[in-house]
Amino acid sequence: EWAFQNCSSLTRISIPDSVTEIGYMAFYNSGLSKVVIGSGVKEIGYSAFENCYFLNEIICKPTTPPTASPNSSNIWNAFKSIGTSAKIYVPVGSGDAYKVAKYWSDYASMIEEKAM
């Protein structure tokens, strides 16, 4: 939680497949432009990537959408206020699951399938 908040010099990160959870606000307001979310991630905390204004490429390797961990107001906002042309790439065959998953559906227009 809050691990890399406001790290403006952090522009790219690849979260290892062995990681199972991304804490809330972990990369909030950082300088990320690209992130790879490892296949082992099962949960993403609220506002994890919020206000990463330069974040335009998110590669999300889990075939099952990670559980969204919202805040007490039931708001997730994991990808709120990211790059205006941002794409969330998910494994081929899992796009529909992401687009209808709770909270992920808020970002359905950004989600595209891609061979991993």
Side-chain angles (χ1 to χ4, degrees), residues 82-101:
I82 61 172
T84 56
S85 61
K87 295 291 180 192
I88 301 172
Y89 297 106
V90 300
V92 172
S94 62
D96 288 341
Y98 274 85
K99 289 178 182 181
V100 299

Side-chain angles (χ1 to χ4, degrees), residues 97-108:
Y98 274 85
K99 289 178 182 181
V100 299
K102 188 172 183 178
Y103 300 110
W104 284 97
S105 61
D106 295 343
Y107 305 101

Side-chain angles (χ1 to χ4, degrees), residues 7-31:
C7 289
S8 58
S9 61
L10 180 63
T11 60
R12 293 173 167 240
I13 192 161
S14 183
I15 298 167
D17 294 337
S18 59
V19 171
T20 59
E21 180 181 344
I22 299 171
Y24 68 87
M25 300 185 92
F27 298 96
Y28 182 88
N29 200 40
S30 68

Side-chain angles (χ1 to χ4, degrees), residues 6-116:
N6 295 325
C7 289
S8 58
S9 61
L10 180 63
T11 60
R12 293 173 167 240
I13 192 161
S14 183
I15 298 167
D17 294 337
S18 59
V19 171
T20 59
E21 180 181 344
I22 299 171
Y24 68 87
M25 300 185 92
F27 298 96
Y28 182 88
N29 200 40
S30 68
L32 285 174
S33 61
K34 179 180 180 178
V35 64
V36 178
I37 298 172
S39 61
V41 173
K42 305 278 186 231
E43 183 176 316
I44 298 176
Y46 76 87
S47 299
F49 300 97
E50 184 177 352
N51 289 354
C52 293
Y53 300 108
F54 305 107
L55 183 55
N56 282 310
E57 185 177 9
I58 301 156
I59 298 172
C60 195
K61 293 168 51 178
T63 55
T64 301
T67 303
S69 180
N71 67 11
S72 59
S73 299
N74 209 29
I75 298 170
W76 188 42
N77 284 347
F79 303 109
K80 181 180 178 185
S81 299
I82 61 172
T84 56
S85 61
K87 295 291 180 192
I88 301 172
Y89 297 106
V90 300
V92 172
S94 62
D96 288 341
Y98 274 85
K99 289 178 182 181
V100 299
K102 188 172 183 178
Y103 300 110
W104 284 97
S105 61
D106 295 343
Y107 305 101
S109 65
M110 297 178 178
I111 296 171
E112 293 184 10
E113 292 185 0
K114 182 178 184 177
M116 300 283 160

